[in-house]
């Protein structure tokens, strides 16, 4: 019985690993401290997790698309603005990048600034995921080249002994 369990679980783990290899990594880097921005970022991450085309990562792995979000409450602290408006709308800045372990850093792709209302976080996060799809399609050849290029084998460092 134990042998059967040991044979089944590694096979399942390998199958899950192969599934993840076909999905493009998306690094969601959120800097949102206001309620609407936090909801927007959470909705976006959920959409990436639920996607069949992408997988959410918390750090840059072999290659993928970076989605960097910064959010600020539009009405917090503004003089003359009714405090009832705080927490109802966020200004969101998004920067899209491409990263790879074969590049010296992330490569800028696009950016945008927009407003998100409390009731529109779900819709706007869907639009950002659609933008990821457009960037993925536009850079398909780049990702295929990265995927096809073998990683160089690690070479031992030589030290001169004096």
């Amino acid at each position: 019985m134990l042998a059967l369990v040991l044979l089944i679980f590694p096979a399942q783990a390998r199958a899950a690993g192969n599934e993840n290899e076909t999905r493009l990594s998306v690094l969601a880097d959120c800097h949102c401290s206001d309620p609407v921005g936090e909801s927007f970022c959470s909705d976006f991450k959920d959409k990436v997790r639920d996607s069949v085309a992408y997988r959410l990562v918390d750090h840059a792995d072999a290659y993928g698309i970076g989605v960097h979000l910064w959010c600020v409450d539009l009405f917090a602290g503004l003089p003359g603005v009714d405090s009832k408006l705080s927490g109802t709308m966020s200004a969101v800045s998004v920067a899209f990048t491409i990263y790879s372990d074969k590049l010296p850093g992330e490569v800028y792709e696009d950016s945008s600034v927009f407003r998100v209302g409390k009731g529109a976080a779900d819709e706007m996060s869907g639009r950002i995921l659609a933008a990821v799809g457009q960037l993925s399609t536009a850079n398909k050849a780049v990702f295929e080249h990265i995927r096809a290029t073998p990683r160089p084998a690690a070479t031992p460092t030589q030290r001169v002994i004096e």
Side-chain angles (χ1 to χ4, degrees):
M1 184 76 144
L2 178 60
L4 182 60
V5 169
L6 291 174
L7 288 172
I8 292 172
F9 281 115
Q12 288 175 342
R14 283 192 304 273
N18 291 341
E19 174 189 323
N20 283 342
E21 288 177 15
T22 62
R23 295 170 28 184
L24 182 64
S25 296
V26 174
L27 169 64
D29 176 34
C30 297
H31 302 273
C32 302
S33 58
D34 63 299
V36 176
E38 287 177 346
S39 175
F40 170 74
C41 184
S42 177
D43 284 349
F44 175 72
K45 287 181 176 182
D46 288 344
K47 282 179 176 36
V48 173
R49 273 187 208 99
D50 295 343
S51 170
V52 296
Y54 311 110
R55 67 184 182 99
L56 183 66
V57 296
D58 58 358
H59 65 280
D61 56 358
Y63 65 93
I65 294 178
V67 180
H68 304 275
L69 299 164
W70 289 267
C71 312
V72 63
D73 190 312
L74 274 177
F75 301 112
L78 289 178
V81 174
D82 189 356
S83 64
K84 292 178 189 174
L85 293 175
S86 287
T88 61
M89 189 171 287
S90 183
V92 179
S93 170
V94 61
F96 297 98
T97 60
I98 290 178
Y99 66 85
S100 168
D101 55 0
K102 297 177 177 105
L103 295 171
E106 291 183 72
V107 176
Y108 171 83
E109 277 294 313
D110 199 2
S111 63
S112 183
V113 177
F114 51 92
R115 296 176 305 211
V116 177
K118 187 172 17 179
D122 181 58
E123 175 189 347
M124 290 303 290
S125 62
R127 290 183 182 189
I128 295 300
L129 190 60
V132 169
Q134 292 171 350
L135 291 171
S136 174
T137 300
N139 291 286
K140 184 177 180 178
V142 172
F143 290 132
E144 287 174 355
H145 177 73
I146 291 170
R147 186 180 300 132
T149 305
R151 290 185 183 166
T155 57
T157 304
Q158 296 179 357
R159 294 190 315 189
V160 176
I161 301 175
E162 295 178 23

